[in-house]
Amino acid sequence: MTRRHGLMGPNTVRVVALVLAVGMASTVGGPYLVQAGVPLLVVIALSLLVLAVPLLAIVRSERSRR
């Protein structure tokens, strides 16, 4: 069976792109967000989410190859 959209469907790709964009903005703007009053734990959580999304995609793709 062939996959029509690769490893992820078009909606999943949009969600991943949105998560990465928001996370990258929060990582780069982390000090400014903290200075503006956003709790540090929220900024750290967004940064960790940005790191986790590509890693989970890699693990998922490796698992599907087997």
Side-chain angles (χ1 to χ4, degrees), residues 7-36:
L7 292 175
M8 296 185 274
N11 290 333
T12 307
V13 171
R14 288 185 186 119
V15 169
V16 168
L18 178 66
V19 167
L20 289 176
V22 169
M24 286 176 59
S26 69
T27 302
V28 171
Y32 305 107
L33 289 173
V34 170
Q35 189 176 15

